[in-house]
């Protein structure tokens, strides 16, 4: 037996080691939500114990991108023990130092019976603040078309309850930007709005078009944002989506 062991160690074994499976995700349900509140970003992490045993010493740590301030010091916090079926929640409020973007992530760690430690990843999320730091640049429709043709863009489509309400929300929320186009097309029950602006700190030009069309649910908004910085474009796209509100 000793000889066989030594040969196995010397020549190598044909047996493949089983990959170590992550321990912890099967014991909890984790939900992460991100909301904008004015200039702040509010991140809420809720963890539900779906196992039949206590989860001890739950600790949540959120990794914040540079330039964001943890207003209430809740990014790195102990939440104690969690009984089966119970849910615990941690809310973090982040304030940006300027027009910045970055990826937020984190981990939730805890122990179970026997002292075994488990780790659950908090999925990454791009966060940032753009709208408060934008200023107007004056361009006409022809210039808008030419300038956006040289930039990459991001976009998404969302439902809106009312086209007229959506137009009002955009003009109110993007008051610092120049309105390049604002067409209300009664015959097709739609509207098109385009905006131009510049980020004050980086001097990046940023352009936005929202095409609103009527649907059975009320309306649909197709949002497109052009910018040299695609992260900044993604943040503005998300802020516009929140202005329009859930359908």
């Amino acid at each position: 037996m000793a000889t066989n062991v030594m040969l196995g160690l010397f020549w190598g074994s044909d047996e493949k080691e089983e990959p170590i499976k992550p321990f912890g995700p099967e014991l909890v349900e984790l939900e992460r939500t991100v909301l904008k509140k004015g200039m702040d970003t509010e991140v809420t992490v809720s963890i539900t114990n779906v196992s039949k045993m206590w989860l001890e010493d739950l600790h949540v740590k959120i990794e914040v991108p540079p330039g964001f301030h943890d207003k209430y010091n809740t990014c790195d916090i102990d939440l104690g023990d969690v009984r089966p079926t119970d849910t615990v929640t941690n809310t973090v409020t982040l304030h940006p130092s300027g027009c910045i973007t970055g990826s937020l992530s984190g981990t939730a760690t805890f122990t179970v019976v026997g002292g075994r430690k488990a780790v659950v990843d908090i999925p990454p999320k791009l966060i940032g603040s753009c709208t408060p730091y934008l200023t107007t640049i004056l361009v006409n429709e022809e210039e808008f078309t030419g300038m956006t043709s040289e930039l990459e863009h991001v976009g998404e489509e969302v439902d809106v309850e009312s086209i007229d309400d959506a137009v009002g929300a955009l003009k109110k929320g993007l008051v610092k930007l120049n309105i390049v186009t604002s067409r209300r097309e009664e015959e097709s029950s739609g509207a098109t709005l385009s905006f131009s602006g510049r980020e004050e700190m980086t001097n990046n030009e940023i352009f936005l078009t929202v095409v609103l069309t009527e649907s059975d649910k009320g309306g649909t908004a197709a949002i497109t944002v052009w910018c040299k910085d695609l992260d900044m474009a993604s943040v503005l796209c998300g802020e516009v989506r929140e202005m329009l509100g859930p359908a």
Side-chain angles (χ1 to χ4, degrees), residues 63-212:
E63 301 291 345
V64 180
F68 286 89
H69 171 61
D70 175 13
K71 289 181 74 172
Y72 305 114
N73 298 317
T74 52
C75 279
D76 194 345
I77 192 169
D78 291 314
L79 296 176
D81 301 337
V82 189
R83 298 180 300 182
T85 74
D86 278 5
T87 299
V88 293
T89 299
N90 181 42
T91 299
V92 174
T93 301
L94 304 173
H95 184 78
S97 60
C99 183
I100 52 177
T101 60
S103 182
L104 175 146
S105 61
T107 55
T109 59
F110 54 89
T111 57
V112 296
V113 176
R116 189 176 180 188
K117 192 170 186 178
V119 180
V120 180
D121 290 330
I122 297 171
K125 173 71 174 179
L126 180 69
I127 64 170
S129 181
C130 190
T131 306
Y133 302 96
L134 297 179
T135 187
T136 293
I137 59 169
L138 298 177
V139 301
N140 57 36
E141 290 188 53
E142 183 178 353
E143 292 169 329
F144 183 96
T145 300
M147 296 169 85
T148 56
S149 68
E150 299 177 356
L151 296 170
E152 293 187 74
H153 67 274
V154 298
E156 62 180 287
E157 190 171 285
V158 295
D159 292 331
V160 297
E161 292 183 352
S162 161
I163 291 178
D164 289 332
D165 289 347
V167 170
L170 290 170
K171 289 183 176 180
K172 180 180 179 181
L174 299 170
V175 66
K176 296 177 70 175
L177 299 184
N178 172 51
I179 300 179
V180 181
T181 305
S182 179
R183 295 193 184 95
R184 185 70 168 93
E185 300 166 5
E186 297 295 343
E187 291 184 3
S188 60
S189 299
T192 300
L193 293 93
S194 297
F195 301 83
S196 60
R198 189 190 305 275
E199 199 280 312
E200 294 175 338
M201 300 179 71
T202 64
N203 217 30
N204 284 329
E205 295 166 341
I206 194 162
F207 305 95
L208 163 71
T209 291
V210 181
V211 178
L212 295 154

